[in-house]
Amino acid sequence: MKTSRIAIAGFGGVGRATTSLLLSRRERYREVYGTDMRLVAVCGSRSGVKSADGLEEEQLSTLEDGLSGPAFIEESGADILIEAGPSDFRTGGPGLGYLHSSLSAGRDTIVISKGALVHSGRELRALAKGSGAMLKLSGAAAAALPTFDLVEHSLKGCEVLEVDGILNATTNYLLDAMTTRGIGFEEALREAQLGGFAEADPRNDTDGWDTACKLLILANFGLGADLTMSDLTVAGIQSVTAERIEAWRGQGLVPKLVGRLWRENGAIRAEVGIRTYPLADPLANIRGKDKAIRIVTDAMGETLAIGSGKEPLATAAAALKDLEHILAVRTV
Ligand SMILES: NC(=O)c1ccc[n+]([C@@H]2O[C@H](COP(=O)([O-])OP(=O)(O)OC[C@H]3O[C@@H](n4cnc5c(N)ncnc54)[C@H](OP(=O)(O)O)[C@@H]3O)[C@@H](O)[C@H]2O)c1
């Protein structure tokens, strides 16, 4: 029986859900991969807990001050890091330090936050390549909706010509409520905030930045592009008024906030903004908090995926899907 040692940095909603799911699946890892899975460390911004023998759920309720940061993960002896801290694409966020240290040391790394991947993607890819570490990022690229896996596995060998993605659950909920129930932006936002899936400051979602981050990660890590945020045109849903919705309705069109990739003169281009779809188009019928992606390739035509997992479980499951992909390679 092999042993895999996991550390989790970032112990909020997603980090905790990932931890619980990981512990509950230990028997599966033993049976399928012949691996004794040990959770050797978890930490938040200021505190953490570690044990070389593996932590149990009841040891996770008291974290010790001062046990946090990339050096703490190093000391834990983890072979695999799951990073689930806050996302900040303008600075890379705390994730950047963890990823830098982990990939430099050759540690396989599963990333859930988007910031560092957007801010320093090229450098992180080079570090992983140099050290031989596997870098997995399903949780950062729309999580419950398969995006990266589609181009990496299902459509492998095909050339991706075009992508249309409804990649942000909050804005889809808001637009759907505004178009199907005729309520205003403010009322729809209040509903989403009460439901706990819109932030008190929703601008990262409503201004299109969250969609842009996911799109850029897909383009750079999945399609071999080398885009920065300044290469993208990014617009959010602010311009969608009741009058515009009414006008679109008259033309049989439904507005969606879409991240779009396409090829132009041999390069990949990207933009985020409102696109309208005729009622018969599947993308017009993505409801509530669902997300969707349509990928057009040269040889396999059009592929459509729709995702609707409940958070934070769905993101935790996406990260652990990445873990199984790592185990499948490392435990042969
Ligand atoms: N929530 C979702 O449905 C969802 C879906 C997909 C992706 N994501 C991404 O997943 C990540 C986590 O989301 P969340 O909802 O779990 O956020 P959250 O509840 O705010 O948790 C963030 C965690 O990161 C920790 N943290 C902050 N700075 C840190 C540092 N320097 N070192 C270690 N930990 C640090 C915080 O620690 P303290 O507790 O000490 O402050 C907290 O435990 C975000 O990047 C988000 O974009 C979330």
Side-chain angles (χ1 to χ4, degrees):
M1 182 76 66
K2 294 176 179 124
T3 302
S4 293
R5 297 172 188 80
I6 308 280
I8 298 185
F11 202 46
V14 171
R16 284 174 192 273
T18 306
T19 303
S20 298
L21 197 59
L22 176 85
L23 293 177
S24 75
R25 289 181 175 176
R26 280 177 293 181
E27 190 53 39
R28 169 177 171 78
Y29 301 133
R30 266 193 285 274
E31 276 174 13
V32 179
Y33 303 101
T35 291
D36 176 26
M37 186 65 70
R38 292 192 195 164
L39 176 66
V40 294
V42 301
C43 69
S45 63
R46 288 177 303 276
S47 55
V49 57
K50 69 179 166 101
S51 163
D53 297 332
L55 295 158
E56 296 295 334
E57 193 85 52
E58 57 274 14
Q59 293 170 275
L60 302 172
S61 49
T62 10
L63 305 189
E64 198 181 314
D65 282 350
L67 300 186
S68 174
F72 167 68
I73 301 296
E74 287 296 321
E75 286 157 20
S76 74
D79 324 295
I80 301 173
L81 170 69
I82 301 180
E83 189 281 323
S87 226
D88 183 342
F89 72 88
R90 292 180 178 92
T91 64
L96 190 51
Y98 286 100
L99 301 191
H100 204 283
S101 136
S102 201
L103 295 171
S104 302
R107 184 175 300 109
D108 294 332
T109 302
I110 296 165
V111 193
I112 297 176
S113 73
K114 294 167 274 293
L117 298 172
V118 171
H119 183 271
S120 296
R122 190 194 302 168
E123 181 197 353
L124 295 173
R125 279 197 299 279
L127 280 178
K129 197 170 173 197
S131 69
M134 293 177 78
L135 173 60
K136 309 292 276 181
L137 40 83
S138 298
L145 174 73
T147 55
F148 191 76
D149 279 357
L150 288 178
V151 298
E152 185 79 354
H153 298 282
S154 312
L155 302 171
K156 205 171 188 66
C158 296
E159 184 176 51
V160 172
L161 303 176
E162 203 177 323
V163 174
D164 272 22
I166 297 173
L167 303 176
N168 180 271
T170 305
T171 44
N172 197 58
Y173 179 90
L174 298 177
L175 283 177
D176 188 39
M178 290 162 72
T179 50
T180 59
R181 290 191 278 133
I183 63 174
F185 174 82
E186 294 300 335
E187 190 181 347
L189 180 61
R190 255 194 315 278
E191 272 184 15
Q193 284 168 331
L194 283 173
F197 51 90
E199 303 285 329
D201 178 354
R203 287 174 297 179
N204 191 48
D205 293 325
T206 55
D207 291 0
W209 295 114
D210 179 74
T211 300
C213 286
K214 291 165 181 165
L215 191 69
L216 194 139
I217 291 169
L218 178 62
N220 288 352
F221 287 83
L223 303 180
D226 191 20
L227 301 173
T228 66
M229 217 31 124
S230 57
D231 296 316
L232 272 69
T233 312
V234 181
I237 64 173
Q238 311 89 330
S239 62
V240 178
T241 58
E243 292 71 31
R244 289 187 79 193
I245 288 175
E246 215 29 65
W248 283 321
R249 197 192 314 282
Q251 298 164 53
L253 297 173
V254 179
K256 294 288 178 189
L257 184 70
V258 171
R260 192 168 158 257
L261 300 173
W262 72 99
R263 289 184 190 270
E264 199 173 291
N265 302 326
I268 291 179
R269 301 281 310 276
E271 69 179 12
V272 175
I274 295 292
R275 283 175 74 79
T276 55
Y277 296 94
L279 284 168
D281 190 311
L283 291 184
N285 295 290
I286 304 305
R287 308 300 305 275
K289 290 181 279 172
D290 291 359
K291 292 179 270 191
I293 189 165
R294 176 160 56 208
I295 303 177
V296 181
T297 64
D298 56 349
M300 290 172 88
E302 223 174 82
T303 298
L304 180 76
I306 301 172
S308 58
K310 208 167 157 31
E311 297 295 357
L313 178 66
T315 297
L320 296 188
K321 166 185 70 178
D322 284 349
L323 175 63
E324 295 213 20
H325 284 152
I326 291 174
L327 295 177
V329 171
R330 297 297 193 206
T331 58
V332 284

